[in-house]
Amino acid sequence: MQGTVDEFSYGLVTPLVAFLMACLGGALGLRCTTRALRVSRTWRPGWLALAAAVIGSGIWTMHFIAMTGFTIEDTPIHYDRTMTFASLAVAIVMVGIGIFIVGYKGASGTALFTGGTITGLGIASMHYLGMAGMSLDGRLEYNVLTVAASVAIAMAAASAALWAAGQVRGFLWSVGASLVMGLAVTGMHYTGMAALEVHVHGSAEPATGETAAALLGPMLVGPLAFLVLAGIVVIFDPLMVAGGTPAVPAEHKPGVPAHSPGHHTPVRSRLRARGPVERRSRTPQRR
C-alpha cells in the first residue's frame, strides 16, 4: 500500500533552517571562490579546496536538517551510516571538481558550463545518495520527470552561483548570490522529495540502520562546526569582506630588474640624477 508522507512534521522550522544553512554554506563558499580568483596560483588551490568543503558541507547539512522533518506513516525511518557519510564525500568531491574548473579557467563560456554542470550534478548526487541511505519497511519510487527537473534546478543554481563568484563585485554581490543559491538548492531538495512515492510493505520486520535522532544529530555537529570555522576565516580576512584586491608580487626573472609597473623613471631624469657628464676634448694634448 502507498504510505502517507509528511515532509513538514515540524512545520516550517526545518525548511527555514535548511534554507539558512544552504545560504550560509553558499555565502562562505562563494567568498572563498572569489578570493581564489584574485590571488596567485600558489594560494589558489587552498582557497578552492576550502570553498568546495564549505559548499559541500552546507548543502549536506541542509539536506539532512530538512530530512529530520520527513516522516512516513506506519513505518519508522532509519539511516545507513556508510551511505550517509558517502553522500557528504560525493558532495565535496564533485563540487570541488566544478569549482577548480572555474577557478583555473574562469567563470565564463565552456568552463562555467562545465563547472556548473558538475557542481549541480554533485548537489543532486548528494541528495539521491542520501535518500538511498534510508532504510524502511517499504519501497521508494521516483517520478522521472520530476527528478530530471530537480537535477536541472541544481545545475542552473550552481552555474548562476559560480558566475556570480567570478564577477568579483564585493561582499553584497556574493550575499545576493548566496540567497539565490540557497533558495535554488532548497527548491531542488523539495522538488526531488515531491518526486518520491513510498509503498509500505506492512510487514513486522524492523528496518535496519539508525534512527534520524540517533544518527543525524551527532553527524551534523561536525559540518556545523566546520562552517563556523570557515566563517571565522572569512570574517578575519579583510579582503574577503571589503572586496579589496590583494597586491600580487611581480615575477622576477634573471637578468631583468624587478621594477613595479607604472613607476618607470624617464631616461632624462636618470641622466640628470647621475650629475654632469665630463666632456672630453677632441684636440690632442701637447706633450
Side-chain angles (χ1 to χ4, degrees):
M1 63 178 178
Q2 185 172 352
T4 302
V5 176
D6 185 6
E7 299 179 18
F8 307 98
S9 58
Y10 294 102
L12 295 178
V13 175
T14 49
L16 288 177
V17 176
F19 169 72
L20 292 176
M21 291 308 304
C23 291
L24 175 61
L28 296 177
L30 292 179
R31 289 309 297 170
C32 292
T33 305
T34 300
R35 186 71 161 87
L37 295 173
R38 298 156 62 191
V39 296
S40 63
R41 287 181 175 266
T42 304
W43 293 97
R44 189 172 300 175
W47 285 109
L48 293 176
L50 180 60
V54 167
I55 294 177
S57 299
I59 61 177
W60 185 88
T61 306
M62 177 277 303
H63 171 81
F64 284 103
I65 286 178
M67 290 305 295
T68 57
F70 177 76
T71 57
I72 302 175
E73 189 177 356
D74 299 327
T75 179
I77 302 175
H78 294 132
Y79 291 88
D80 181 75
R81 183 180 293 272
T82 303
M83 293 288 285
T84 304
F85 274 115
S87 65
L88 174 60
V90 167
I92 293 176
V93 171
M94 293 193 68
V95 169
I97 293 173
I99 286 179
F100 268 78
I101 291 175
V102 172
Y104 281 94
K105 299 296 184 181
S108 62
T110 306
L112 178 61
F113 175 79
T114 305
T117 299
I118 295 176
T119 302
L121 290 176
I123 296 172
S125 299
M126 180 279 306
H127 173 85
Y128 289 106
L129 187 59
M131 295 296 293
M134 289 196 312
S135 177
L136 52 91
D137 183 24
R139 184 181 74 258
L140 304 181
E141 291 184 357
Y142 292 94
N143 181 280
V144 177
L145 293 179
T146 310
V147 169
S150 68
V151 175
I153 291 173
M155 291 190 297
S159 300
L162 292 177
W163 174 82
Q167 299 308 302
V168 193
R169 295 185 181 179
F171 182 71
L172 294 179
W173 178 267
S174 293
V175 170
S178 66
L179 292 176
V180 173
M181 185 177 182
L183 182 62
V185 171
T186 308
M188 175 268 159
H189 170 86
Y190 285 103
T191 302
M193 297 303 293
L196 176 66
E197 290 185 359
V198 181
H199 298 275
V200 179
H201 295 155
S203 63
E205 297 179 2
T208 59
E210 303 182 49
T211 62
L215 178 63
L216 299 183
M219 287 185 66
L220 290 174
V221 174
L224 285 173
F226 177 74
L227 290 174
V228 171
L229 292 176
I232 294 175
V233 172
V234 172
I235 291 174
F236 284 94
D237 187 349
L239 293 173
M240 299 271 275
V241 177
T245 303
V248 181
E251 297 182 359
H252 176 69
K253 299 179 181 180
V256 179
H259 294 296
S260 59
H263 294 80
H264 298 289
T265 306
V267 178
R268 294 181 179 178
S269 299
R270 293 200 302 266
L271 292 177
R272 292 174 182 175
R274 295 177 181 176
V277 179
E278 182 181 357
R279 295 184 180 180
R280 296 181 180 178
S281 174
R282 296 182 180 179
T283 305
Q285 295 180 356
R286 297 180 181 179
R287 295 182 179 177

